[in-house]
Amino acid sequence: MKILLLDKNHPLITEQLLAKNFVLEEDFTSSYDEVCHKIDNYDGVIIRSRIPLDKNFLEKGKSLKFIARVGAGMENIDIPVAEKLGIQLINSPEGNRDSVAEHVVGMLLILMNRLFIASQEVKNGIWLREENRGDELLGKTVGLIGYGNMGKATAKRFSGFGCKVIFHDILPGLSDEYATQVSLEELKQSADILSLHIPLTSETHYLIDEKFILEMRKDFYFINTARGKNVETKYLVESLKSGKVKGACLDVLEYEKASFENLETENEDLKYLLESEKTIVTPHIAGWTHQSKEKLAQVIVDKIIASYC
């Protein structure tokens, strides 16, 4: 089989697939149009986020048997068209679930205990203790939306902090030793902390909007390591200013480019998020550890070999 690699990934992908007699071609620079012109020559394609695989792309890939995304989210792929054309879709959420879970807890601990703020103050000769009292995780109710690989790994971490963990998911019967499944209404009634672990779909676009935030009974901390467009940012900012949202940990932003390589919009809401002491903002790196880079690649290789060797 002939496979096109469109993004740089861990070298084990190349090494292990070549050892299984796949024919590989790397192309990390060609434009969308240039790739479309030649995609019909390949049986498979391995991607991250550089190029969208839309209807036009997929219809030109007349020989494509599979698309493998090194990562979890598949929103850059026109999934209904791929399924209609019989193209297998492969991703690797198992590979970075632990790094995402650790990032969630890490951001929240920094925010709730004012660690970054206090550290910067001391480095600047300011010694404030009362002003930097923290807020403990122990005894709080954590509400997760989405209980796939990321949600389950996150629940496991929070349960170790003595939190009650609840979650809502569209699939039934997912409760386990770490978290209890509840209705969305019950989650809104109980959660002190809200964390998103969902894909970006038509149903989850702007899931967190003004209505959702107002329906949360308690003032709460908010964490998003899923997709920026799951959240309508202007209402998150309004809620941070009012105190309804006590603080926000954001690894993803509504204003990111589709490739996740940078921000594409500047506005007052973004300015507030970047300047506020109530926020921790990171550049879409929750799943981006040295270990996850290797694990993501290995999961992809294992799935390709399982299907085509």
Side-chain angles (χ1 to χ4, degrees), residues 19-301:
K20 291 292 184 178
N21 297 316
F22 289 91
V23 177
L24 306 182
E25 180 182 326
E26 296 178 344
D27 185 346
F28 306 145
T29 58
S30 290
S31 68
Y32 168 87
D33 288 335
E34 290 169 334
V35 176
C36 281
H37 184 69
K38 65 178 182 179
I39 192 60
D40 62 333
N41 296 318
Y42 301 92
D43 301 292
V45 58
I46 299 176
I47 63 167
R48 284 199 62 86
S49 305
R50 186 171 69 87
I51 288 179
L53 275 59
D54 57 12
K55 183 174 185 289
N56 175 63
F57 183 103
L58 297 173
E59 289 179 343
K60 290 182 181 300
K62 299 185 185 302
S63 300
L64 282 179
K65 296 177 178 62
F66 74 85
I67 297 164
R69 179 165 190 271
V70 184
M74 305 286 273
E75 67 270 15
N76 271 14
I77 304 168
D78 191 326
I79 294 174
V81 171
E83 291 175 343
K84 182 180 178 182
L85 294 172
I87 301 171
Q88 181 184 6
L89 299 177
I90 301 169
N91 65 343
S92 53
E94 306 92 334
N96 63 352
R97 60 189 173 194
D98 295 311
S99 61
V100 169
E102 291 184 14
H103 197 90
V104 167
V105 175
M107 284 198 298
L108 189 60
L109 289 172
I110 289 170
L111 182 72
M112 293 176 66
N113 292 283
R114 297 176 60 85
L115 298 181
F116 181 76
I117 295 167
S119 177
Q120 290 299 111
E121 287 176 350
V122 173
K123 289 179 179 180
N124 288 311
I126 302 167
W127 189 272
L128 298 175
R129 298 184 67 222
E130 184 60 36
E131 293 84 350
N132 284 308
R133 279 192 185 272
D135 192 7
E136 295 182 6
L137 275 174
L138 180 65
K140 287 188 169 54
T141 297
V142 178
L144 310 177
I145 300 183
Y147 207 61
N149 283 280
M150 312 304 177
K152 290 175 183 178
T154 301
K156 184 177 181 179
R157 269 68 177 184
F158 275 123
S159 67
F161 281 88
C163 296
K164 177 182 179 181
V165 187
I166 59 177
F167 69 90
H168 176 72
D169 195 283
I170 58 174
L171 298 177
L174 299 179
S175 294
D176 59 21
E177 62 187 301
Y178 302 115
T180 302
Q181 189 161 9
V182 299
S183 67
L184 192 56
E185 290 69 29
E186 184 176 342
L187 185 146
K188 291 176 182 177
Q189 285 293 308
S190 302
D192 300 294
I193 297 161
L194 176 66
S195 185
L196 300 187
H197 301 278
I198 50 179
L200 181 61
T201 66
S202 57
E203 288 77 25
T204 65
H205 184 266
Y206 283 170
L207 175 67
I208 308 303
D209 58 8
E210 182 180 31
K211 180 175 182 291
F212 190 106
I213 292 170
L214 291 175
E215 288 174 349
M216 293 287 288
R217 184 174 67 84
K218 301 178 183 179
D219 296 345
F220 65 99
Y221 294 99
F222 177 68
I223 310 161
N224 190 11
T225 54
R227 288 293 183 262
K229 289 182 173 61
N230 293 139
V231 181
E232 198 163 5
T233 305
K234 63 180 179 179
Y235 295 118
L236 175 62
V237 168
E238 286 180 9
S239 301
L240 284 162
K241 290 177 178 177
S242 73
K244 179 65 181 178
V245 175
K246 298 165 74 172
C249 302
L250 305 172
D251 182 56
V252 291
L253 293 165
E254 180 182 352
Y255 313 117
E256 288 178 72
K257 291 182 177 179
S259 63
F260 311 139
E261 292 173 346
N262 214 320
L263 298 173
E264 61 181 359
T265 303
E266 293 184 12
N267 56 41
E268 288 302 308
D269 290 332
L270 176 61
K271 186 172 185 289
Y272 176 85
L273 293 177
L274 298 181
E275 294 178 354
S276 175
E277 288 190 349
K278 292 184 174 184
T279 60
I280 299 290
V281 185
T282 53
H284 205 130
I285 56 168
W288 207 255
T289 60
H290 296 292
Q291 292 81 8
S292 71
K293 182 177 182 180
E294 180 174 350
K295 287 190 283 187
L296 284 165
Q298 190 63 62
V299 169
I300 286 295
V301 168

